[in-house]
PDB file of all heavy atoms in Angstrom:
ATOM      1  N   TYR A   4     -12.867  -8.948   1.288  1.00  0.00           N
ATOM      2  CA  TYR A   4     -12.972  -7.749   0.463  1.00  0.00           C
ATOM      3  C   TYR A   4     -12.114  -7.945  -0.785  1.00  0.00           C
ATOM      4  O   TYR A   4     -11.118  -8.666  -0.754  1.00  0.00           O
ATOM      5  CB  TYR A   4     -12.472  -6.528   1.227  1.00  0.00           C
ATOM      6  CG  TYR A   4     -13.458  -5.955   2.212  1.00  0.00           C
ATOM      7  CD1 TYR A   4     -14.050  -6.733   3.193  1.00  0.00           C
ATOM      8  CD2 TYR A   4     -13.774  -4.606   2.179  1.00  0.00           C
ATOM      9  CE1 TYR A   4     -14.936  -6.197   4.097  1.00  0.00           C
ATOM     10  CE2 TYR A   4     -14.671  -4.045   3.082  1.00  0.00           C
ATOM     11  CZ  TYR A   4     -15.247  -4.857   4.039  1.00  0.00           C
ATOM     12  OH  TYR A   4     -16.122  -4.313   4.938  1.00  0.00           O
ATOM     13  N   LEU A  46      -5.229  -7.475   3.733  1.00  0.00           N
ATOM     14  CA  LEU A  46      -6.300  -6.473   3.811  1.00  0.00           C
ATOM     15  C   LEU A  46      -7.635  -7.021   3.311  1.00  0.00           C
ATOM     16  O   LEU A  46      -8.681  -6.488   3.660  1.00  0.00           O
ATOM     17  CB  LEU A  46      -5.913  -5.228   3.011  1.00  0.00           C
ATOM     18  CG  LEU A  46      -4.719  -4.438   3.553  1.00  0.00           C
ATOM     19  CD1 LEU A  46      -4.350  -3.314   2.584  1.00  0.00           C
ATOM     20  CD2 LEU A  46      -5.006  -3.907   4.937  1.00  0.00           C
ATOM     21  N   LEU A  49      -8.792  -8.347   6.637  1.00  0.00           N
ATOM     22  CA  LEU A  49      -8.739  -7.347   7.710  1.00  0.00           C
ATOM     23  C   LEU A  49      -8.639  -5.955   7.090  1.00  0.00           C
ATOM     24  O   LEU A  49      -7.609  -5.289   7.192  1.00  0.00           O
ATOM     25  CB  LEU A  49      -7.522  -7.597   8.608  1.00  0.00           C
ATOM     26  CG  LEU A  49      -7.510  -8.915   9.378  1.00  0.00           C
ATOM     27  CD1 LEU A  49      -6.139  -9.174   9.974  1.00  0.00           C
ATOM     28  CD2 LEU A  49      -8.570  -8.897  10.455  1.00  0.00           C
ATOM     29  N   PRO A  50      -9.706  -5.492   6.449  1.00  0.00           N
ATOM     30  CA  PRO A  50      -9.629  -4.258   5.677  1.00  0.00           C
ATOM     31  C   PRO A  50      -9.444  -2.983   6.502  1.00  0.00           C
ATOM     32  O   PRO A  50      -8.994  -1.970   5.972  1.00  0.00           O
ATOM     33  CB  PRO A  50     -10.955  -4.221   4.924  1.00  0.00           C
ATOM     34  CG  PRO A  50     -11.875  -5.031   5.761  1.00  0.00           C
ATOM     35  CD  PRO A  50     -11.033  -6.115   6.361  1.00  0.00           C
ATOM     36  N   HIS A  51      -9.751  -3.029   7.782  1.00  0.00           N
ATOM     37  CA  HIS A  51      -9.627  -1.823   8.611  1.00  0.00           C
ATOM     38  C   HIS A  51      -8.352  -1.834   9.451  1.00  0.00           C
ATOM     39  O   HIS A  51      -8.229  -1.087  10.413  1.00  0.00           O
ATOM     40  CB  HIS A  51     -10.877  -1.645   9.480  1.00  0.00           C
ATOM     41  CG  HIS A  51     -12.097  -1.417   8.656  1.00  0.00           C
ATOM     42  ND1 HIS A  51     -12.383  -0.210   8.072  1.00  0.00           N
ATOM     43  CD2 HIS A  51     -13.082  -2.264   8.268  1.00  0.00           C
ATOM     44  CE1 HIS A  51     -13.497  -0.311   7.378  1.00  0.00           C
ATOM     45  NE2 HIS A  51     -13.948  -1.545   7.477  1.00  0.00           N
ATOM     46  N   LYS A  52      -7.411  -2.637   9.017  1.00  0.00           N
ATOM     47  CA  LYS A  52      -6.105  -2.727   9.665  1.00  0.00           C
ATOM     48  C   LYS A  52      -5.336  -1.420   9.442  1.00  0.00           C
ATOM     49  O   LYS A  52      -5.572  -0.707   8.485  1.00  0.00           O
ATOM     50  CB  LYS A  52      -5.345  -3.904   9.032  1.00  0.00           C
ATOM     51  CG  LYS A  52      -4.018  -4.199   9.609  1.00  0.00           C
ATOM     52  CD  LYS A  52      -3.432  -5.416   8.926  1.00  0.00           C
ATOM     53  CE  LYS A  52      -2.100  -5.767   9.535  1.00  0.00           C
ATOM     54  NZ  LYS A  52      -1.581  -7.013   8.989  1.00  0.00           N
ATOM     55  N   PRO A  61     -10.097  12.000   4.032  1.00  0.00           N
ATOM     56  CA  PRO A  61     -11.144  11.219   4.691  1.00  0.00           C
ATOM     57  C   PRO A  61     -11.075   9.735   4.312  1.00  0.00           C
ATOM     58  O   PRO A  61     -11.006   9.386   3.142  1.00  0.00           O
ATOM     59  CB  PRO A  61     -12.442  11.844   4.170  1.00  0.00           C
ATOM     60  CG  PRO A  61     -12.052  13.208   3.723  1.00  0.00           C
ATOM     61  CD  PRO A  61     -10.629  13.099   3.241  1.00  0.00           C
ATOM     62  N   GLY A  62     -11.025   8.899   5.334  1.00  0.00           N
ATOM     63  CA  GLY A  62     -11.030   7.463   5.119  1.00  0.00           C
ATOM     64  C   GLY A  62      -9.688   6.847   4.770  1.00  0.00           C
ATOM     65  O   GLY A  62      -9.587   5.623   4.640  1.00  0.00           O
ATOM     66  N   LEU A  63      -8.650   7.641   4.622  1.00  0.00           N
ATOM     67  CA  LEU A  63      -7.339   7.098   4.268  1.00  0.00           C
ATOM     68  C   LEU A  63      -6.764   6.332   5.447  1.00  0.00           C
ATOM     69  O   LEU A  63      -6.848   6.772   6.592  1.00  0.00           O
ATOM     70  CB  LEU A  63      -6.382   8.217   3.855  1.00  0.00           C
ATOM     71  CG  LEU A  63      -5.025   7.749   3.323  1.00  0.00           C
ATOM     72  CD1 LEU A  63      -5.209   7.049   1.972  1.00  0.00           C
ATOM     73  CD2 LEU A  63      -4.070   8.917   3.181  1.00  0.00           C
ATOM     74  N   ARG A  64      -6.214   5.172   5.148  1.00  0.00           N
ATOM     75  CA  ARG A  64      -5.578   4.338   6.162  1.00  0.00           C
ATOM     76  C   ARG A  64      -4.161   4.038   5.689  1.00  0.00           C
ATOM     77  O   ARG A  64      -3.881   4.051   4.496  1.00  0.00           O
ATOM     78  CB  ARG A  64      -6.353   3.042   6.367  1.00  0.00           C
ATOM     79  CG  ARG A  64      -7.802   3.273   6.805  1.00  0.00           C
ATOM     80  CD  ARG A  64      -8.507   1.984   7.153  1.00  0.00           C
ATOM     81  NE  ARG A  64      -8.082   1.465   8.431  1.00  0.00           N
ATOM     82  CZ  ARG A  64      -8.492   1.931   9.617  1.00  0.00           C
ATOM     83  NH1 ARG A  64      -9.336   2.940   9.676  1.00  0.00           N
ATOM     84  NH2 ARG A  64      -8.061   1.396  10.725  1.00  0.00           N
ATOM     85  N   PHE A  76      -4.284   3.219   1.729  1.00  0.00           N
ATOM     86  CA  PHE A  76      -5.488   2.659   1.119  1.00  0.00           C
ATOM     87  C   PHE A  76      -6.742   3.237   1.759  1.00  0.00           C
ATOM     88  O   PHE A  76      -6.687   3.846   2.823  1.00  0.00           O
ATOM     89  CB  PHE A  76      -5.486   1.131   1.248  1.00  0.00           C
ATOM     90  CG  PHE A  76      -5.503   0.641   2.675  1.00  0.00           C
ATOM     91  CD1 PHE A  76      -6.697   0.264   3.280  1.00  0.00           C
ATOM     92  CD2 PHE A  76      -4.331   0.559   3.419  1.00  0.00           C
ATOM     93  CE1 PHE A  76      -6.717  -0.186   4.598  1.00  0.00           C
ATOM     94  CE2 PHE A  76      -4.339   0.115   4.732  1.00  0.00           C
ATOM     95  CZ  PHE A  76      -5.535  -0.266   5.319  1.00  0.00           C
ATOM     96  N   THR A  77      -7.856   3.025   1.086  1.00  0.00           N
ATOM     97  CA  THR A  77      -9.172   3.333   1.637  1.00  0.00           C
ATOM     98  C   THR A  77     -10.022   2.075   1.554  1.00  0.00           C
ATOM     99  O   THR A  77      -9.720   1.150   0.788  1.00  0.00           O
ATOM    100  CB  THR A  77      -9.867   4.485   0.884  1.00  0.00           C
ATOM    101  OG1 THR A  77      -9.905   4.177  -0.505  1.00  0.00           O
ATOM    102  CG2 THR A  77      -9.147   5.803   1.103  1.00  0.00           C
ATOM    103  N   VAL A  78     -11.085   2.061   2.334  1.00  0.00           N
ATOM    104  CA  VAL A  78     -11.986   0.911   2.384  1.00  0.00           C
ATOM    105  C   VAL A  78     -13.383   1.372   2.008  1.00  0.00           C
ATOM    106  O   VAL A  78     -13.885   2.358   2.546  1.00  0.00           O
ATOM    107  CB  VAL A  78     -12.000   0.280   3.792  1.00  0.00           C
ATOM    108  CG1 VAL A  78     -12.956  -0.911   3.841  1.00  0.00           C
ATOM    109  CG2 VAL A  78     -10.595  -0.126   4.216  1.00  0.00           C
ATOM    110  N   ASP A  79     -14.009   0.647   1.090  1.00  0.00           N
ATOM    111  CA  ASP A  79     -15.401   0.901   0.721  1.00  0.00           C
ATOM    112  C   ASP A  79     -16.207  -0.292   1.221  1.00  0.00           C
ATOM    113  O   ASP A  79     -16.207  -1.364   0.592  1.00  0.00           O
ATOM    114  CB  ASP A  79     -15.526   1.062  -0.795  1.00  0.00           C
ATOM    115  CG  ASP A  79     -16.941   1.405  -1.237  1.00  0.00           C
ATOM    116  OD1 ASP A  79     -17.897   1.114  -0.491  1.00  0.00           O
ATOM    117  OD2 ASP A  79     -17.080   1.946  -2.344  1.00  0.00           O
ATOM    118  N   ASP A  80     -16.855  -0.114   2.374  1.00  0.00           N
ATOM    119  CA  ASP A  80     -17.602  -1.220   2.971  1.00  0.00           C
ATOM    120  C   ASP A  80     -18.836  -1.588   2.148  1.00  0.00           C
ATOM    121  O   ASP A  80     -19.244  -2.755   2.147  1.00  0.00           O
ATOM    122  CB  ASP A  80     -18.009  -0.876   4.402  1.00  0.00           C
ATOM    123  CG  ASP A  80     -16.821  -0.866   5.346  1.00  0.00           C
ATOM    124  OD1 ASP A  80     -15.990  -1.795   5.273  1.00  0.00           O
ATOM    125  OD2 ASP A  80     -16.711   0.076   6.159  1.00  0.00           O
ATOM    126  N   ASP A  81     -19.433  -0.624   1.456  1.00  0.00           N
ATOM    127  CA  ASP A  81     -20.617  -0.917   0.657  1.00  0.00           C
ATOM    128  C   ASP A  81     -20.307  -1.889  -0.486  1.00  0.00           C
ATOM    129  O   ASP A  81     -21.059  -2.827  -0.733  1.00  0.00           O
ATOM    130  CB  ASP A  81     -21.222   0.368   0.096  1.00  0.00           C
ATOM    131  CG  ASP A  81     -21.815   1.248   1.191  1.00  0.00           C
ATOM    132  OD1 ASP A  81     -22.206   0.703   2.253  1.00  0.00           O
ATOM    133  OD2 ASP A  81     -21.876   2.473   0.980  1.00  0.00           O
ATOM    134  N   SER A  82     -19.189  -1.648  -1.174  1.00  0.00           N
ATOM    135  CA  SER A  82     -18.815  -2.535  -2.286  1.00  0.00           C
ATOM    136  C   SER A  82     -17.858  -3.639  -1.844  1.00  0.00           C
ATOM    137  O   SER A  82     -17.480  -4.486  -2.651  1.00  0.00           O
ATOM    138  CB  SER A  82     -18.172  -1.730  -3.419  1.00  0.00           C
ATOM    139  OG  SER A  82     -16.955  -1.158  -2.988  1.00  0.00           O
ATOM    140  N   ARG A  83     -17.460  -3.602  -0.556  1.00  0.00           N
ATOM    141  CA  ARG A  83     -16.521  -4.574   0.012  1.00  0.00           C
ATOM    142  C   ARG A  83     -15.218  -4.601  -0.785  1.00  0.00           C
ATOM    143  O   ARG A  83     -14.749  -5.644  -1.203  1.00  0.00           O
ATOM    144  CB  ARG A  83     -17.162  -5.948   0.112  1.00  0.00           C
ATOM    145  CG  ARG A  83     -18.430  -5.921   0.983  1.00  0.00           C
ATOM    146  CD  ARG A  83     -18.970  -7.271   1.315  1.00  0.00           C
ATOM    147  NE  ARG A  83     -18.112  -8.121   2.097  1.00  0.00           N
ATOM    148  CZ  ARG A  83     -17.895  -8.029   3.421  1.00  0.00           C
ATOM    149  NH1 ARG A  83     -18.493  -7.078   4.097  1.00  0.00           N
ATOM    150  NH2 ARG A  83     -17.109  -8.877   4.038  1.00  0.00           N
ATOM    151  N   GLU A  84     -14.645  -3.382  -0.933  1.00  0.00           N
ATOM    152  CA  GLU A  84     -13.391  -3.246  -1.660  1.00  0.00           C
ATOM    153  C   GLU A  84     -12.380  -2.429  -0.847  1.00  0.00           C
ATOM    154  O   GLU A  84     -12.756  -1.495  -0.148  1.00  0.00           O
ATOM    155  CB  GLU A  84     -13.601  -2.538  -2.993  1.00  0.00           C
ATOM    156  CG  GLU A  84     -14.407  -3.346  -3.983  1.00  0.00           C
ATOM    157  CD  GLU A  84     -14.585  -2.649  -5.312  1.00  0.00           C
ATOM    158  OE1 GLU A  84     -14.625  -1.395  -5.340  1.00  0.00           O
ATOM    159  OE2 GLU A  84     -14.691  -3.351  -6.320  1.00  0.00           O
ATOM    160  N   VAL A  85     -11.133  -2.816  -0.999  1.00  0.00           N
ATOM    161  CA  VAL A  85     -10.007  -2.056  -0.476  1.00  0.00           C
ATOM    162  C   VAL A  85      -9.326  -1.436  -1.693  1.00  0.00           C
ATOM    163  O   VAL A  85      -8.993  -2.131  -2.648  1.00  0.00           O
ATOM    164  CB  VAL A  85      -9.014  -2.960   0.282  1.00  0.00           C
ATOM    165  CG1 VAL A  85      -7.754  -2.194   0.662  1.00  0.00           C
ATOM    166  CG2 VAL A  85      -9.672  -3.571   1.514  1.00  0.00           C
ATOM    167  N   HIS A  86      -9.136  -0.121  -1.661  1.00  0.00           N
ATOM    168  CA  HIS A  86      -8.503   0.599  -2.769  1.00  0.00           C
ATOM    169  C   HIS A  86      -7.094   0.998  -2.328  1.00  0.00           C
ATOM    170  O   HIS A  86      -6.944   1.864  -1.458  1.00  0.00           O
ATOM    171  CB  HIS A  86      -9.301   1.852  -3.135  1.00  0.00           C
ATOM    172  CG  HIS A  86     -10.713   1.565  -3.502  1.00  0.00           C
ATOM    173  ND1 HIS A  86     -11.099   1.290  -4.787  1.00  0.00           N
ATOM    174  CD2 HIS A  86     -11.840   1.482  -2.743  1.00  0.00           C
ATOM    175  CE1 HIS A  86     -12.399   1.064  -4.813  1.00  0.00           C
ATOM    176  NE2 HIS A  86     -12.867   1.163  -3.578  1.00  0.00           N
ATOM    177  N   VAL A  87      -6.089   0.359  -2.908  1.00  0.00           N
ATOM    178  CA  VAL A  87      -4.697   0.688  -2.594  1.00  0.00           C
ATOM    179  C   VAL A  87      -4.294   1.858  -3.478  1.00  0.00           C
ATOM    180  O   VAL A  87      -4.311   1.760  -4.702  1.00  0.00           O
ATOM    181  CB  VAL A  87      -3.773  -0.530  -2.804  1.00  0.00           C
ATOM    182  CG1 VAL A  87      -2.321  -0.151  -2.528  1.00  0.00           C
ATOM    183  CG2 VAL A  87      -4.208  -1.687  -1.912  1.00  0.00           C
ATOM    184  N   HIS A  88      -3.940   2.973  -2.836  1.00  0.00           N
ATOM    185  CA  HIS A  88      -3.600   4.202  -3.563  1.00  0.00           C
ATOM    186  C   HIS A  88      -2.117   4.354  -3.800  1.00  0.00           C
ATOM    187  O   HIS A  88      -1.707   4.916  -4.818  1.00  0.00           O
ATOM    188  CB  HIS A  88      -4.117   5.426  -2.807  1.00  0.00           C
ATOM    189  CG  HIS A  88      -5.587   5.434  -2.643  1.00  0.00           C
ATOM    190  ND1 HIS A  88      -6.455   5.766  -3.660  1.00  0.00           N
ATOM    191  CD2 HIS A  88      -6.366   5.116  -1.578  1.00  0.00           C
ATOM    192  CE1 HIS A  88      -7.699   5.666  -3.221  1.00  0.00           C
ATOM    193  NE2 HIS A  88      -7.674   5.269  -1.969  1.00  0.00           N
ATOM    194  N   ARG A 105      -6.199   9.768  -5.173  1.00  0.00           N
ATOM    195  CA  ARG A 105      -7.564   9.500  -4.683  1.00  0.00           C
ATOM    196  C   ARG A 105      -8.553   9.781  -5.793  1.00  0.00           C
ATOM    197  O   ARG A 105      -8.422  10.739  -6.518  1.00  0.00           O
ATOM    198  CB  ARG A 105      -7.865  10.375  -3.477  1.00  0.00           C
ATOM    199  CG  ARG A 105      -6.945  10.111  -2.340  1.00  0.00           C
ATOM    200  CD  ARG A 105      -7.503   9.804  -1.038  1.00  0.00           C
ATOM    201  NE  ARG A 105      -8.897  10.100  -0.875  1.00  0.00           N
ATOM    202  CZ  ARG A 105      -9.680   9.383  -0.109  1.00  0.00           C
ATOM    203  NH1 ARG A 105      -9.204   8.364   0.515  1.00  0.00           N
ATOM    204  NH2 ARG A 105     -10.933   9.691   0.035  1.00  0.00           N
ATOM    205  N   ARG A 106      -9.568   8.958  -5.867  1.00  0.00           N
ATOM    206  CA  ARG A 106     -10.561   9.164  -6.928  1.00  0.00           C
ATOM    207  C   ARG A 106     -11.561  10.203  -6.576  1.00  0.00           C
ATOM    208  O   ARG A 106     -11.745  10.702  -5.587  1.00  0.00           O
ATOM    209  CB  ARG A 106     -11.260   7.886  -7.301  1.00  0.00           C
ATOM    210  CG  ARG A 106     -11.798   7.094  -6.142  1.00  0.00           C
ATOM    211  CD  ARG A 106     -12.467   5.855  -6.672  1.00  0.00           C
ATOM    212  NE  ARG A 106     -12.897   5.063  -5.530  1.00  0.00           N
ATOM    213  CZ  ARG A 106     -13.988   4.381  -5.516  1.00  0.00           C
ATOM    214  NH1 ARG A 106     -14.774   4.349  -6.532  1.00  0.00           N
ATOM    215  NH2 ARG A 106     -14.329   3.667  -4.476  1.00  0.00           N
TER     216      ARG A 106
END
Side-chain angles (χ1 to χ4, degrees):
Y4 281 54
L46 294 174
L49 296 168
H51 296 283
K52 183 177 182 174
L63 186 68
R64 301 187 75 78
F76 62 97
T77 54
V78 179
D79 183 337
D80 289 316
D81 292 334
S82 64
R83 301 190 63 77
E84 292 181 329
V85 172
H86 303 270
V87 178
H88 299 283
R105 299 233 345 147
R106 49 180 176 144

